[in-house]
Amino acid sequence: MDLHVRYEGDDDPDKCTARKLSRFDLAELHRSDRATPGGVVLNPHAEQALSPADAELARERGLVALDCSWESAGEKQFSMRGEHRALPYLVAANPVNFGRPMELTTVEAFAAGLHILGEPEQADEILGKFTWGETFSELNEEPLRRYAECEDSSEIVEIQQEYLDR
């Protein structure tokens, strides 16, 4: 599955997971909305959750993430073309936000999306470039497995609610 990043470049370049994926030719960086393909856009403000029902479109057009500072990641930033989908509840494993729900790096967001869309090998490949990558899979093993078994967004939201109610 092609991975595309709408790259803002406002974070520390040494900690930027999108730049590292690009260096390994695992994702393509784009500097403008117009240059970014209109695939399945991972957007925390989207009204619909990412689900296996989005897999065909993602395989055809790619999976897209916005890489920017959390301070500037407001709803207005997500003006890219494509089908916008939110990731369900997951916990970060990156050193900056370890243990915080929903504060994922770009590589964690891509890996989650890939797991949900039926591409766990590709998820493991991109996480393998980071010392903490395997920890993300371990921390989120159960929810990622359950999300991947869903048929559509409504089932994802039901399972997510179980984690939120804990």
Side-chain angles (χ1 to χ4, degrees):
M1 191 172 294
D2 292 336
L3 304 179
H4 297 278
V5 179
R6 171 61 179 91
Y7 180 67
E8 288 289 320
D10 57 0
D11 270 340
D12 180 344
D14 295 331
K15 295 178 183 173
C16 179
T17 64
R19 285 174 54 112
K20 188 168 185 174
L21 290 177
S22 177
R23 282 196 306 270
F24 284 101
D25 290 324
L26 296 171
E28 188 174 344
L29 303 183
H30 306 278
R31 290 287 191 163
S32 70
D33 287 352
R34 206 173 81 211
T36 307
V40 176
V41 179
L42 300 176
N43 176 348
H45 307 287
E47 292 184 20
Q48 191 172 339
L50 182 73
S51 76
D54 298 307
E56 186 176 327
L57 181 62
R59 285 188 187 93
E60 287 174 13
R61 297 191 191 161
L63 192 58
V64 181
L66 171 65
D67 185 272
C68 66
S69 149
W70 277 103
E71 288 78 34
S72 64
E75 194 168 344
K76 66 178 176 55
Q77 288 284 13
F78 291 90
S79 56
M80 296 169 282
R81 301 175 279 131
E83 298 297 322
H84 289 240
R85 301 289 187 263
L87 286 171
Y89 178 87
L90 295 162
V91 177
N94 66 78
V96 175
N97 292 313
F98 183 85
R100 292 185 186 157
M102 306 309 296
E103 294 203 17
L104 310 181
T105 61
T106 301
V107 71
E108 289 171 313
F110 273 144
L114 289 165
H115 271 285
I116 291 167
L117 297 172
E119 301 290 340
E121 296 84 13
Q122 188 177 359
D124 291 344
E125 177 185 11
I126 65 173
L127 286 171
K129 301 299 180 191
F130 300 86
T131 55
W132 45 265
E134 191 174 332
T135 304
F136 177 77
S137 295
E138 290 169 358
L139 283 175
N140 295 290
E141 181 179 6
E142 178 188 323
L144 285 171
R145 178 187 48 75
R146 293 183 69 201
Y147 296 145
E149 292 169 353
C150 293
E151 286 189 32
D152 58 27
S153 180
S154 61
E155 287 185 27
I156 295 274
V157 172
E158 285 178 32
I159 290 172
Q160 171 182 259
Q161 194 58 50
E162 292 177 27
Y163 292 104
L164 294 173
D165 289 343
R166 288 183 180 177

